Amino acid sequence: MTALVVATRTFIREQVLPIDDAYDGDVDAAGGEQLRLRLQSMARAEKLLAPHGPVDLGGLGLTMSDRAPVFEEAGYSLFGPMAINVNAPDEGNIHLLDRVGSAAQRERYLRPLVTGTWRSAFAMTEPAPGAGSDPEALLTQAVKVDGGWLINGRKRFITGADGAGFLIVMARTGGEPGSAGRATMFLLPATVPGVTLERHVGTIDRSMLGGHCELTFTNVFVPDDDVLGGVDEGFNYAQVRLGPARMTHVMRWTGAAQRAHEVAVRYATERRAFGARLADLGMAQQLIADNEIDLAATRALLREACAQLDAGERASKATSITKAFAAEALNRVADRSVQLCGGLGVSRDPPVAKIARELRPFRIYDGPSEVHRWSIARRAAREYSALGSTR
Ligand SMILES: Cc1cc2nc3c(=O)[nH]c(=O)nc-3n(C[C@H](O)[C@H](O)[C@H](O)COP(=O)(O)OP(=O)(O)OC[C@H]3O[C@@H](n4cnc5c(N)ncnc54)[C@H](O)[C@@H]3O)c2cc1C
């Protein structure tokens, strides 16, 4: 374990976890934005803030492979990723801005994000019939005007939008919904006229600061300087962001699932039934062993995907396989942990029900499992049909 991993582990377990447990992982109940600022100033004092951030802006510039154990330690507490500023969507936005932002955009948007001065949001999904599983259904339009662009549309499930300093908004700049066409990403300070926060969509999870919001954009003017990267490059940049962002979600949720598993195994070694410890009863052992297998397999897939990303590959197949497997495997780990703890498993006493609650949406965001399977299968059909007959 590197010194950074050890320091992150100590900080998260000693300083963050007690707050998370006291509030059952409910970030608003625990203090919301004030809590974020307090935890991040503690992390800053320990030199643990934004370890993935670019070096020129004060981060450590960790590779994907080096991030994995650090982010997993952060994920051990539901508030841990927020505390060290590696939470979604900021972490993915830092990655994207670092890759494609101009020098001026790095100063204006990336620097305050890395230092924790601002939070951000990433706005892609729309209510039906707009973009969801299928990004090509994108309806939000950006039309070129003198000196910039006018954006109109509606977005839903935009994590962290309430209280964000700025948004990255994906809008159509060519073609018709239902075809790939062209899309562009825009940087929008949250206070810009025409952006309305319509509501928080109530969801089962409670640990994400700023909620999951529905927003409307009405004739929002964005100057040319706030086009992120190139015009019409939006779908391309979405891939630049999504592959790594999916993997960092896997890292963080592995930490949470590991905690649920540890708690459940401890319960099983202490609780006695039918003349034995639960941990000595065959079917309970199966739950424990299957958790170990799912956690180990998730980490192995993650290592391979991170190695490919670090080698500069797009790693679409590896990240899709890892995301789909991990989202389901980690949900299984959380669910088995609930089961092993019996009635207490669904209570607020051990921290397993809250982890199961927070993990469930991961099978839907960053691409639902079915969409990843669809894309993995299409790729396999393409690859193997190109090989011709097997005889
Ligand atoms: C907690 C949470 C946070 C989120 N945060 C953000 C955010 O910050 N920014 C953002 O832009 N979006 C965000 N989202 C939205 C998320 O990315 C979408 O929910 C996801 O892409 C699915 O889109 P949809 O909800 O429109 O489902 P739909 O597109 O309506 O799909 C519904 C279901 O159809 C099935 N399906 C879809 N395609 C296929 C296929 N090819 N084959 C078989 N079955 C299929 C799947 O089971 C899928 O779950 C978030 C969602 C949640 C739940």
Side-chain angles (χ1 to χ4, degrees):
M1 230 187 273
T2 67
L4 179 63
V5 177
V6 173
T8 306
R9 167 181 284 225
T10 307
F11 172 67
I12 296 296
R13 294 182 191 212
E14 291 181 2
Q15 307 206 52
V16 183
L17 207 53
I19 306 171
D20 167 1
D21 284 344
Y23 292 93
D24 193 38
D26 184 331
V27 72
D28 289 330
E33 184 65 9
Q34 290 310 312
L35 175 71
R36 176 183 80 90
L37 294 172
R38 182 157 61 90
L39 290 179
Q40 291 194 351
S41 97
M42 287 153 61
R44 195 176 295 112
E46 306 272 351
K47 299 197 179 345
L48 295 175
L49 200 67
H52 60 310
V55 175
D56 64 316
L57 298 180
L60 299 176
L62 295 185
T63 63
M64 290 297 291
S65 302
D66 289 343
R67 278 172 211 198
V70 178
F71 284 27
E72 183 178 330
E73 288 300 337
Y76 199 80
S77 162
L78 297 174
F79 296 166
M82 173 180 77
I84 67 164
N85 199 12
V86 300
N87 215 5
D90 295 332
E91 179 270 333
N93 290 344
I94 287 175
H95 178 84
L96 181 63
L97 277 159
D98 188 33
R99 292 291 179 290
V100 304
S102 67
Q105 290 169 350
R106 285 174 71 82
E107 265 315 300
R108 180 161 183 214
Y109 296 101
L110 181 55
R111 183 182 291 280
L113 202 51
V114 172
T115 57
T117 311
W118 268 357
R119 289 194 291 105
S120 63
F122 183 78
M124 166 92 130
T125 305
E126 301 166 337
S133 302
D134 179 6
E136 293 184 3
L138 188 68
L139 285 177
T140 299
Q141 284 271 1
V143 176
K144 187 76 185 92
V145 292
D146 196 20
W149 298 78
L150 272 190
I151 299 184
N152 282 284
R154 178 178 284 262
K155 298 285 182 182
R156 185 180 286 169
F157 282 119
I158 308 310
T159 302
D162 191 357
F166 71 94
L167 318 169
I168 298 177
V169 178
M170 179 96 155
R172 180 169 290 282
T173 40
E176 295 300 318
S179 72
R182 295 178 299 282
T184 300
M185 288 191 185
F186 297 90
L187 288 156
L188 260 74
T191 50
V192 77
V195 179
T196 309
L197 198 167
E198 301 286 352
R199 64 172 181 134
H200 280 232
V201 183
T203 50
I204 58 175
D205 60 322
R206 296 205 287 274
S207 68
M208 297 280 187
L209 187 56
H212 308 295
C213 301
E214 188 158 332
L215 308 170
T216 49
F217 302 89
T218 312
N219 291 327
V220 177
F221 176 75
V222 183
D224 287 325
D225 286 349
D226 283 344
V227 169
L228 177 55
V231 172
D232 293 341
E233 292 290 338
F235 286 125
N236 186 23
Y237 294 161
Q239 295 313 312
V240 170
R241 183 185 186 281
L242 270 176
R246 286 172 178 143
M247 296 306 91
T248 54
H249 256 130
V250 171
M251 297 169 192
R252 293 182 291 260
W253 288 129
T254 300
Q258 172 69 32
R259 183 175 189 218
H261 175 52
E262 287 174 16
V263 167
V265 173
R266 264 199 309 278
Y267 181 81
T269 57
E270 288 161 8
R271 176 72 162 150
R272 296 187 68 81
F274 306 102
R277 301 183 311 168
L278 287 181
D280 297 323
L281 299 173
M283 277 184 276
Q285 288 176 328
Q286 181 167 2
L287 296 177
I288 294 169
D290 284 348
N291 275 2
E292 290 277 328
I293 292 167
D294 274 337
L295 286 162
T298 294
R299 292 188 182 104
L301 286 172
L302 182 62
R303 264 195 301 278
E304 170 59 23
C306 288
Q308 290 184 20
L309 288 167
D310 286 337
E313 295 170 32
R314 188 159 268 202
S316 309
K317 179 177 171 183
T319 55
S320 238
I321 289 176
T322 305
K323 195 282 171 178
F325 180 85
E328 294 174 6
L330 299 176
N331 263 283
R332 288 194 295 267
V333 170
D335 188 67
R336 290 188 200 106
S337 303
V338 166
Q339 190 70 13
L340 257 180
C341 290
L344 281 178
V346 294
S347 77
R348 287 185 169 196
D349 288 4
V352 290
K354 72 170 176 181
I355 289 172
R357 170 195 87 202
E358 298 296 316
L359 254 164
R360 182 59 182 85
F362 187 35
R363 284 172 52 196
I364 295 168
Y365 57 68
D366 281 1
S369 297
E370 294 73 19
V371 175
H372 285 290
R373 285 196 170 81
W374 177 71
S375 122
I376 293 163
R378 285 196 317 163
R379 183 188 303 271
R382 231 180 11 250
E383 278 177 16
Y384 300 143
S385 71
L387 295 179
S389 166
T390 49
R391 293 175 191 230

